[in-house]
Amino acid sequence: MSAPEPVDTIVMDVDGTLVDSNYQHALAWYRAFRRYGVTEPVWQIHRAVGMGGDQLVAHVAGDEVERQHGDALRDAWTEEFDPMLPEVAPLPGAHELLQAVKDAGLTLVLASSGQQQHVDAFLDLVDGRDLADGWTSSDDADASKPAPDLLQVALEKVGGRRGLMVGDSIWDARAAANAGMPCVAILTGGFSEQELREAGAREVYHSLDDLRAAIASGELTGGGEPSPR
């Protein structure tokens, strides 16, 4: 049996992976739901962070809430999240991780399902514009994670042959599986190692620095099969 084609492209999630934004997302959704008389525990909303807004409303609150208020809730989420944007900070080692990807000779594409203005702000936070070969926003795909669309678009944008998804949520791992793409995860999004592995992550790293070391060593690019650690 021939060996898998080596990874040539890192498909990198942004929210929760490069910037510490997951809890602001959860709180913004909580406040948006409350505007429409829907109260869901914040911890349950957090379990859905990583999905795009097109899928999150029904997942958290049910199909009837989506039918009645879906678009209004997504607008309300934007209104709640935007004032918190200055609170979002890059995760330690984010810029250095992006630099390590490029130093390893890999193509780098950021696969975000966020709104374009948020993606722009986060690119500036991690000083990533000159390092990323491309990036996506919610405008680029009809369906967000865990659908594979965004990852496929990201790979196509940079002409990648074989991608490796890097993310922080179970939705990243499931989207990668749906796209036929290997995935590794980081604990920065608040999901447990067990959850991430059960969702399909082949390896889970505790920090961006740990992942950076794995990339620098070539551990992750030989056919997309991380070595045991």
Side-chain angles (χ1 to χ4, degrees):
M1 183 182 296
S2 60
E5 184 177 6
V7 167
D8 67 347
T9 303
I10 300 296
V11 181
M12 185 86 65
D13 176 58
V14 177
D15 280 286
T17 301
L18 296 176
V19 298
D20 194 10
S21 58
N22 281 14
Y23 296 99
Q24 285 89 346
H25 280 300
L27 184 57
W29 278 114
Y30 175 80
R31 291 172 176 172
F33 281 123
R34 288 292 296 270
R35 289 194 193 186
Y36 291 89
V38 178
T39 301
E40 299 290 344
V42 178
W43 74 268
Q44 290 188 2
I45 296 173
H46 171 255
R47 312 319 296 163
V49 170
M51 282 184 153
D54 59 317
Q55 302 199 50
L56 184 145
V57 173
H59 180 82
V60 170
D63 291 338
E64 186 60 28
V65 172
E66 169 62 36
R67 281 192 293 270
Q68 291 185 5
H69 306 298
D71 289 341
L73 278 163
R74 285 180 279 276
D75 289 342
W77 173 83
T78 301
E79 292 170 5
E80 294 290 352
F81 184 76
D82 281 352
M84 289 190 277
L85 200 56
E87 300 175 13
V88 176
L91 284 157
H95 178 78
E96 291 79 5
L97 173 61
L98 301 184
Q99 185 66 62
V101 171
K102 299 306 296 178
D103 289 346
L106 298 165
T107 299
L108 171 66
V109 57
L110 305 183
S112 172
S113 57
Q115 297 176 9
Q116 184 63 55
Q117 69 268 27
H118 300 155
V119 176
D120 288 341
F122 298 153
L123 277 168
D124 292 338
L125 272 182
V126 300
D127 195 16
R129 289 184 184 275
D130 293 336
L131 294 174
D133 297 289
W135 51 83
T136 68
S137 73
S138 56
D139 295 335
D140 293 314
D142 292 332
S144 65
K145 304 168 192 173
D149 304 34
L150 199 68
L151 277 62
Q152 293 165 340
V153 168
L155 201 60
E156 290 168 3
K157 273 196 169 189
V158 296
R161 296 187 307 276
R162 180 165 169 79
L164 172 70
M165 176 69 191
V166 175
D168 68 288
S169 76
I170 60 175
W171 312 110
D172 294 321
R174 292 179 184 175
N178 289 334
M181 187 181 297
C183 174
V184 299
I186 313 172
L187 292 176
T188 49
F191 293 84
S192 72
E193 180 172 351
Q194 180 178 348
E195 288 176 298
L196 292 165
R197 289 188 182 277
E198 288 177 352
R202 298 187 179 186
E203 183 59 281
V204 178
Y205 295 89
H206 285 256
S207 71
L208 300 188
D209 286 340
D210 290 341
L211 176 59
R212 176 170 54 83
I215 289 173
S217 72
E219 178 179 316
L220 297 184
T221 56
E225 295 285 354
S227 305
R229 294 170 62 243

